[in-house]
Each structure stands twice: as C-alpha cells, then as structure tokens.
C-alpha cells in the first residue's frame, strides 16, 4: 500500500563550522522545498547531533525563502553545531537507539549530516542501527571541513575559503613585515589549523610564487620538525631577504611524535589539546639569533571569513547539500556526495558519490610530492591543485560598511517523547 504522507527529514551541522557550511544548509533546504510531495518537513538539530539526542529540533519550514537564500552568504552554523562524538554502537548502543527513537517519534526517514570524518562515521553507524532495529532511514553525509582531509573527495567544502583567507593574510602580513624589517621585526609566524594534515599550511604557500617572496618557510604536520634545519632556513632567509615569514600548522610534531604545542589535555573528541605552536617556533628564532618577532594565530578567523570566501567553495558547498537530498530521493543510503575534479586548467568539477564506509575515520594528508624536497614549501603540483579552489569572489551584501548576515527564527518543534536524554 502506497504511503499517503511523505516522511520528514533531519539535518544537522557538526564540529567546527566554516564560512560556507550554511551554503550547504541552503542547498539542503531549498532542494527539500522543491520536492514537497516526496519529503515532508525538514527539521534541523539545535546544536547538531545533540539536538537530535535531546529532541531539540528546529522547524526549518518556519524560515522565509529570503532567510534561507541569505544562508548562502552567512558564516558560522546557523542552527548550531557541537563537538560531540558518538561512541561505537557496541560501546554505547543507547545513544543510537535514542536517535532512532526520536526519528521514529517525528517520522523522520532522511538523515543529512553535515560534517567531517567523525560525522561521516556517525552517519554510517546510524544507517547500520536503523537496519538492525528495522527502522528505514536513508543517511547521507554532507562533506564539510576546513582541514580538507576527507578521503575520496577531491576537496572539502569550507577548505577553499579558509585557504583563500590564509593566502591573502600571508601576503598582506608579509608586505607589512618587509616594510619594517630593516629596523624592527625580522620574523613573522602565522599559525594555522591542521592537526594531522597540512592543507591549510600549504595554502599559505600560494601567497608567493617567485624566489624570495613569502612565505619563506612552511611547517607541515607531514614533515617531522627539525629544529636545526628550521633555524638554518630562517637565518638564511633573513640574511638574503631581510626578513622571514613562516606559516606553521598547529599539528607539527618533533622526532618523538609529540606535538610541539601539546598542552597535555584532551578535547571533546579525545584528541590532544594543542596550546599554540606559533609562539613556540617564533621564540626559537629569538633565542637562537636575537631576532625581533611577531606571531599571529588565524584560529576561528580563517574558517569564518565569509567576506573573502572563494566563489568555487561557495558553489561546491551548495552543490553537495543539493546533491545529498537528490541522492536520498533516489533511494541511496550511507553515501556522501563527493567533488570530482575533471580538469585543473581550466578548472572543471562535478559531483560524484562514495560510500560512507570508505570515508569514515579516514584521513587524507598532503602527499609528499606536493611538498618541496627540503620540506619547507609547496611544489608546482601542489599549486596546480590549490589555486582553482580559492578562485573567484562571492561577496556578501553590505550595509553601513558591514556584511549583512542571516539570523534564523529557530522555531522549536514540540517534543513528543517523555523521556529526557542527558548529554
């Protein structure tokens, strides 16, 4: 017997957000609205998967079409995100059973999870527990991470815009330091994100293409830190160019495998909490040579800088959100839309797909042939890969000198379960 009422859908944002994650949300919402006869209501989790566990849902149907359109140029996570990793099904089955309980209560048959490695793992496990409990649900991962470390996909939405910010910031800061180097600062260090993969550090390399241009040193997590080699390179650059600009990934490790900036604590996902590698390496140069230095941490600025977003990145973020819904409507389950590069010059791409099992908890690092033999720069192959991803501008609308961003109503969905869930 044919079902009379279409099933509802659930969307959640996970982990560290980005300048374009809401563009993916826009893609999901607008595509669902174009298929009202096939998908009923679209709920969003308030603060990501935590909203699903606590039955704290937002009715996206209450948002105007104009607000949804504006999400495309709004940074941050409009519905709230969370660093909350579900344990394995065998370790905490109750969490997954709770998700299914909430989904069942609200007749949710589609689960769109917008995140990185851990999120793809969660979406994969939800598809498994749904099958085990006899509850039909189609789980589609929506890729997002500024770290650019998801497997299979050519690149990750969120990365291109963060990479563009880092490349621009490196070039502009370098010109500042160059102008003062004779009598003041000799070394400038920019610390960027990247715990295990140095894609964002590599992006700093786009700032300079000719000999002597900054950055003069890039420190990658993929390359073991050698203090003597690093200091030798800094000294050589200062003597040759008058100054030295360093881009360092937060995840740089020494020969013992320990993070240079490990603080000894853990974050919500159980990863080592890093305390700041920028000042560590900057201080080394002063202790060795007496150079005056400055350092900066891009931190949240690199991932939230929507005002300088890559047009390519915005378009790809929207496209994976749109594709996620289309995949679900075609009956696909436990898959993720991927970005497939057709050519680099001219840059052409399309949407592909991959099973979540091939992506969950995998990590794509910068290949060795993208890093120069000395370990301190990017190769022409890396530049060819990176340059298209920061291409084009997609400025948000401005008012009174500031960008105008969307603010959702966030209307709550009435709860149907009596049993609360504490996270």
């Amino acid at each position: 017997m044919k079902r009379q009422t279409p099933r509802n859908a659930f969307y959640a944002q996970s982990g560290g957000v980005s300048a374009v994650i809401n563009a993916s949300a826009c893609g999901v919402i607008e595509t669902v609205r174009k298929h009202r006869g096939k998908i009923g209501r679209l709920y969003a989790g308030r603060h990501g998967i935590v909203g699903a566990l606590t039955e704290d849902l937002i009715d996206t149907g209450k948002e105007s079409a104009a607000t949804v359109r504006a999400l495309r140029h709004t940074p941050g996570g409009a519905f709230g995100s969370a660093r909350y990793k579900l344990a394995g099904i065998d370790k905490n089955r109750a969490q997954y059973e709770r998700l299914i309980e909430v989904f069942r209560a609200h007749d949710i048959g589609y689960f769109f999870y917008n995140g990185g490695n851990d999120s793809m793992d969660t979406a994969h496990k939800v598809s498994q527990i749904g099958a085990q409990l006899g509850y039909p649900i189609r789980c589609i991962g929506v890729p997002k991470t500024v770290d650019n470390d998801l497997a299979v996909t050519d690149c990750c939405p969120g990365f291109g815009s963060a990479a563009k910010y880092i490349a621009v910031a490196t070039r502009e800061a370098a010109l500042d330091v160059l102008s003062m180097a004779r009598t003041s600062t000799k070394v400038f260090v920019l610390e960027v994100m990247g715990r295990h993969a140095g894609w964002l550090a590599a992006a700093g390399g786009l700032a300079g293409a000719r000999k002597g241009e900054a950055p003069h040193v890039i420190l990658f997590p993929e390359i073991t830190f050698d203090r003597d080699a690093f200091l030798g390179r800094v000294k050589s650059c200062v003597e040759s160019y008058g100054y030295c600009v360093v881009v360092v990934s937060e995840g740089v490790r020494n020969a013992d495998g320990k993070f240079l900036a490990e603080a000894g604590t853990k974050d919500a996902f159980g990863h080592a909490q890093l305390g700041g590698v920028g000042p560590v390496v900057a201080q080394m140069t002063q202790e060795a040579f007496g150079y005056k230095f400055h350092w900066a941490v891009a931190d949240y600025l690199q991932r939230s800088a929507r005002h300088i977003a890559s047009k390519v990145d915005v378009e790809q973020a929207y496209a994976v959100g749109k594709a996620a819904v289309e995949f679900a409507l075609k009956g696909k389950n436990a898959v993720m839309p991927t970005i497939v590069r057709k050519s680099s010059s001219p840059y052409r791409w399309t949407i592909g797909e991959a099973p979540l099992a091939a992506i969950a908890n995998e990590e794509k690092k910068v290949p060795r042939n993208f890093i120069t033999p000395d370990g301190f720069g990017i190769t022409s192959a890396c530049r060819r890969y990176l340059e298209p991803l920061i291409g084009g501008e997609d400025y948000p609308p401005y008012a009174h000198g500031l960008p105008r961003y969307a603010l959702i109503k966030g209307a709550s969905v009435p709860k149907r379960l009596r049993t609360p869930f504490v996270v």
Side-chain angles (χ1 to χ4, degrees), residues 72-85:
R72 185 171 175 134
H73 63 252
T74 300
F79 303 99
S81 184
R83 289 196 181 279
Y84 187 84
K85 183 177 180 178

Side-chain angles (χ1 to χ4, degrees), residues 319-337:
V320 296
K322 177 175 180 287
V325 177
E326 292 172 343
F327 283 1
L329 291 175
K330 290 177 181 178
K332 298 180 184 294
N333 187 25
V335 298
M336 184 191 85

Side-chain angles (χ1 to χ4, degrees), residues 299-311:
D299 200 48
Y300 281 15
L301 300 179
Q302 66 202 293
R303 75 185 197 198
S304 64
R306 182 58 183 81
H307 66 287
I308 198 171
S310 154
K311 183 178 182 181

Side-chain angles (χ1 to χ4, degrees), residues 62-81:
K62 303 295 184 182
E63 308 297 338
S64 69
T67 296
V68 174
R69 281 196 304 272
L71 288 178
R72 185 171 175 134
H73 63 252
T74 300
F79 303 99
S81 184

Side-chain angles (χ1 to χ4, degrees), residues 115-124 140-145 149-154 156 327 334-339 352-364:
N117 294 306
D118 291 326
S119 303
M120 298 307 107
D121 181 53
T122 295
H124 184 225
I140 312 293
V142 185
K144 173 277 314 173
T145 173
D149 61 353
L150 286 177
V152 185
T153 185
D154 178 72
C156 303
F327 283 1
V335 298
M336 184 191 85
T338 62
I339 295 166
E353 68 174 271
L356 291 177
I359 298 165
N361 295 316
E362 295 294 325
E363 201 164 40
K364 180 180 70 178

Side-chain angles (χ1 to χ4, degrees), residues 149-365:
D149 61 353
L150 286 177
V152 185
T153 185
D154 178 72
C155 61
C156 303
F159 170 70
S161 295
K164 189 181 186 82
Y165 175 88
I166 289 167
V168 170
T170 300
R171 176 171 287 184
E172 293 179 339
L175 291 173
D176 185 298
V177 178
L178 175 61
S179 66
M180 298 291 292
R182 182 172 181 178
T183 59
S184 184
T185 303
K186 293 288 192 292
V187 175
F188 173 72
V189 178
L190 177 63
E191 177 186 328
V192 301
M193 290 178 174
R195 180 178 299 275
H196 300 296
W199 293 106
L200 287 173
L206 294 175
R210 294 173 297 202
K211 183 177 175 61
E213 291 184 330
H216 307 102
V217 180
I218 302 174
L219 299 177
F220 301 88
E222 290 85 355
I223 303 296
T224 300
F225 180 73
D226 183 326
R227 186 177 186 276
D228 292 339
F230 166 68
L231 291 175
R233 179 59 176 263
V234 171
K235 187 174 188 292
S236 175
C237 290
V238 171
E239 291 176 348
S240 299
Y241 314 123
Y243 74 118
C244 182
V245 172
V246 180
V247 176
V248 56
S249 172
E250 64 178 345
V252 170
R253 299 170 183 256
N254 59 27
D256 295 330
K258 184 176 181 180
F259 291 112
L260 294 189
E262 192 166 330
T265 55
K266 304 288 185 181
D267 66 12
F269 289 121
H271 305 309
Q273 191 77 43
L274 305 187
V277 70
V280 172
V281 298
Q283 187 67 41
M284 285 182 191
T285 68
Q286 185 183 61
E287 292 173 351
F289 310 117
Y291 295 148
K292 181 176 180 180
F293 66 82
H294 277 270
W295 58 271
V297 182
D299 200 48
Y300 281 15
L301 300 179
Q302 66 202 293
R303 75 185 197 198
S304 64
R306 182 58 183 81
H307 66 287
I308 198 171
S310 154
K311 183 178 182 181
V312 166
D313 194 28
V314 174
E315 291 173 346
Q316 291 179 340
Y318 184 91
V320 296
K322 177 175 180 287
V325 177
E326 292 172 343
F327 283 1
L329 291 175
K330 290 177 181 178
K332 298 180 184 294
N333 187 25
V335 298
M336 184 191 85
T338 62
I339 295 166
V340 180
R341 184 180 301 226
K342 307 295 284 187
S343 69
S344 294
S345 183
Y347 181 53
R348 293 196 299 267
W349 59 277
T350 189
I351 294 293
E353 68 174 271
L356 291 177
I359 298 165
N361 295 316
E362 295 294 325
E363 201 164 40
K364 180 180 70 178
K365 297 186 178 183

